[in-house]
Amino acid sequence: MRHIAIVGSGPAGYYTAEAAQKEFGDDVRVDVFDKLPVPYGLIRTGVAPDHQSIKGVSRRYEKTALTDNVRFVGNVAIGEDISVERLQMLYDAVVIATGAPQDRELSIPGEDLRNTFGSAAFVGWYNGHPQFADLDPDLSGSTAVVIGMGNVALDVARMLSKKAAEFDGSDIVGHALDALDASNIERIILLGRRGPHQIMMTPKELGELGWLDHAAPHVDKADLPDEAEDAILEPGLRKSVALLREFAATPEHIRGEKRIAVEFAFFAQPTALIGDGAVEAVEIERTKLERGRAVGTGDTERVPADLVISCIGYRTAPIPGVPFDERAGRFANDDGRILPGLYCVGWARRGPSGTIGTNKPDGFGIVEKIAADFADGTIRQQGREGREGFDAYAAEHGLDIVTFRDWKKIEEAEAQAAREGAPREKFVDIEAMIKALN
C-alpha cells in the first residue's frame, strides 16, 4: 500500500488526489490536509462570490473526496500541529499544495497606513475567510485606488461597484454585503504601470464591467495605441483591448448616468502612499514603455485615495523544514521535486500563474513523478503507517480532525442559514464551524 499526504485542499490538492487514484488504483491511501475545517481553498475564499459557475468545479473534487481511499483531514495546520518531517516519516510521499495565500508587498513608503490592504486580505474579507473576517475596511470615503491590471483587480473593482441587489445568487458573506451596500465609494481608479497591451485581464471578466447597474468603466482614448497594433496580440488579449476601446468610445453622457466611475489609469507607477495615520492619496510616477518594460519618466502627481487595495500578486507561505525560494515566493523545487519523497504542485510549485484548470495537468504530472520515484527506488517503501500512524499521532496530541463528512454537515448548516437567493451563508470563524458539527 502506498501512502500519500497532500498539504492543501484546493484545486491543486484535489487534482493530485484524483491523479493518485487513477495511477495507483486501490493500492493507495491519500490524506488531504487543510488548516481550515473546510475544503477547496481559493474556490471557497478566492473566487469572486458572484462567479458561482466557477465555484461549481468543487463538485468534481467532492467526487474524489467521497471515495474510500481519499480522506479530507481538516483543522490541522502543517508546520504547527504536525511537522513536515513527521509527515515524511508517516507517508511515502508528501505533496505541498498550499497555493500562494500571502500578498506580495508593494515595498513603497506608506503601505502600512490604515485602510490599505492587499488583495488576499480584502478578497478574504468579502469571501468569509476566518483570517480576514474582522478586516472592517472603511468605505465611507469617495475614492478607492486598486493597484494592478489583472483579474483580481477587476474582481475587487466590481465588488466595490455593486449594491445588494446585484449580489443576488452570490455567496458573499453578510458582513461584506452590508458594508458594500452602504459604501460611499463613487470613484474607483485602477492603476497600471504599463499600457493597455500589457494588461492581464481576460475578456469575460473585463466585459462584466460594462454591465454593472451603478458603475461605468472609463478609458482615456489617448492611452490606447494605434488600433493596427492590436493585430500582433494573442486572441484573448486582443478581445480585452477591444473592450477597452469600446469603453473609451462610450459617450460621456451615457457614462455619466452611472453613479460610480471605474477609471483605468495606465502608465502610472505608485511610488508612495500618503496620509496621516490613514491613507489619503497615492503618489504616482508617470511611466513609458521601453522594450515592453515600464520606465519612470520622473513626472509625479498625487491622486486622492480613501481606500487602497493592492492586487499585484501573491506569495506562497513558507513551512518550517521545507526549502523555500524567497525571491520567487514559492518552494524551492526542480519541476515539482523538493527532496526525495517531498514534492510541490500548483502555485506552491510554479508561483501564482495560470487558471484553476492549469492545476489539473500539474497534479497529474506530479503523480507521474511520484510513480517514477517509486519505480526507481527514490521512494523506498518501508512499511510506513500512513493514515493509521497519523490518527495515532492526532489522538496523542489532541488534534480535533474534521473529515469530509463533517464538512458536509458544516455545508448543510451554511445552506440553511443562507439569505433568500443565496446558496449559503458562510461561517466566518473556526469556532462556529466546529460548533456546527454538534
Side-chain angles (χ1 to χ4, degrees):
M1 180 65 66
R2 295 169 172 84
H3 301 285
I4 299 176
I6 298 173
V7 183
S9 69
Y14 270 114
Y15 281 128
T16 302
E18 178 185 341
Q21 284 184 314
K22 292 185 177 179
E23 177 70 33
F24 302 117
D26 292 334
D27 191 32
V28 70
R29 293 290 180 271
V30 181
D31 281 352
V32 181
F33 291 86
D34 202 291
K35 184 176 182 177
L36 293 177
V38 294
Y40 304 145
L42 286 182
I43 298 296
R44 178 178 170 93
T45 59
V47 172
D50 57 352
H51 284 173
Q52 289 298 304
S53 60
I54 297 175
K55 290 176 181 276
V57 72
S58 63
R59 289 189 289 272
R60 175 174 184 149
Y61 309 147
E62 179 172 315
K63 184 178 179 181
T64 299
L66 289 174
T67 55
D68 291 337
N69 57 347
V70 173
R71 181 178 68 159
F72 174 67
V73 187
N75 204 35
V76 176
I78 306 304
E80 298 175 21
D81 294 323
I82 185 172
S83 68
V84 168
E85 182 181 17
R86 188 59 181 264
L87 281 183
Q88 288 183 275
M89 294 169 61
L90 294 171
Y91 295 85
D92 298 305
V94 176
V95 182
I96 309 295
T98 51
Q102 296 183 342
D103 284 301
R104 280 182 56 201
E105 294 181 352
L106 279 170
S107 299
I108 60 176
E111 66 178 321
D112 58 345
L113 289 170
R114 289 197 311 275
N115 231 33
T116 298
F117 308 102
S119 55
F122 193 77
V123 170
W125 169 73
Y126 62 63
N127 262 324
H129 193 299
Q131 183 179 350
F132 304 113
D134 296 330
L135 200 68
D136 194 25
D138 182 357
L139 306 180
S140 63
S142 63
T143 304
V145 171
V146 180
I147 302 172
M149 284 282 178
N151 279 349
V152 175
L154 279 177
D155 284 345
V156 169
R158 193 175 66 256
M159 294 300 105
L160 289 170
S161 301
K162 286 190 170 187
K163 297 299 181 182
E166 292 176 275
F167 285 108
D168 285 351
S170 81
D171 64 351
I172 188 170
V173 291
H175 64 245
L177 179 67
D178 293 341
L180 290 169
D181 194 47
S183 167
N184 290 326
I185 299 293
E186 295 181 345
R187 185 186 185 196
I188 301 166
I189 304 171
L190 285 159
L191 282 186
R193 56 191 175 88
R194 297 190 292 173
H197 278 189
Q198 288 77 40
I199 62 172
M200 302 295 288
M201 299 168 171
T202 50
K204 178 182 180 297
E205 282 69 21
L206 187 58
E208 288 179 276
L209 283 188
W211 298 99
L212 296 170
D213 289 347
H214 305 283
H218 293 235
V219 175
D220 189 338
K221 291 180 180 179
D223 286 334
L224 295 166
D226 189 282
E227 191 166 357
E229 297 180 27
D230 295 355
I232 65 172
L233 303 176
E234 60 88 16
L237 180 54
R238 190 160 60 244
K239 290 179 182 178
S240 292
V241 174
L243 285 166
L244 293 178
R245 295 189 186 280
E246 287 182 22
F247 297 157
T250 303
E252 185 61 40
H253 72 275
I254 293 179
R255 288 199 299 252
E257 293 173 358
K258 303 291 180 74
R259 186 178 68 84
I260 301 171
V262 181
E263 303 175 16
F264 287 76
F266 297 105
F267 306 109
Q269 171 73 46
T271 56
L273 305 184
I274 311 298
D276 183 11
V279 68
E280 299 170 11
V282 180
E283 182 181 85
I284 62 171
E285 179 181 13
R286 289 296 170 184
T287 64
K288 61 181 180 179
L289 288 180
E290 291 185 0
R291 298 180 181 178
R293 297 189 53 159
V295 178
T297 64
D299 295 331
T300 62
E301 61 183 89
R302 290 185 179 183
V303 296
D306 303 295
L307 168 71
V308 172
I309 302 162
S310 172
C311 306
I312 61 170
Y314 301 108
R315 291 171 55 86
T316 294
I319 297 176
V322 182
F324 193 77
D325 184 338
E326 286 287 351
R327 183 176 180 181
R330 54 175 170 75
F331 293 107
N333 71 94
D334 180 10
D335 200 22
R337 290 184 173 97
I338 301 175
L339 295 168
L342 181 62
Y343 309 83
C344 56
V345 69
W347 283 9
R349 177 186 75 83
R350 65 182 188 271
S353 63
T355 64
I356 291 170
T358 307
N359 293 294
K360 180 180 178 182
D362 209 16
F364 277 71
I366 208 67
V367 168
E368 289 177 2
K369 289 179 174 62
I370 293 172
D373 289 349
F374 274 120
D376 68 14
T378 300
I379 299 176
R380 297 179 182 177
Q381 287 186 265
Q382 299 174 332
R384 289 185 173 90
E385 297 175 86
R387 185 174 297 178
E388 291 183 3
F390 172 76
D391 287 349
Y393 175 94
E396 181 182 348
H397 291 80
L399 302 185
D400 191 8
I401 297 171
V402 174
T403 68
F404 197 84
R405 285 176 174 78
D406 290 333
W407 145 244
K408 294 299 291 182
K409 295 177 184 177
I410 296 172
E411 184 181 44
E412 182 180 357
E414 290 183 338
Q416 290 176 349
R419 64 185 179 275
E420 185 177 358
R424 65 190 63 82
E425 179 61 43
K426 296 175 188 170
F427 294 112
V428 298
D429 66 82
I430 292 175
E431 184 179 345
M433 294 175 186
I434 300 300
K435 189 178 294 184
L437 300 178
N438 300 316

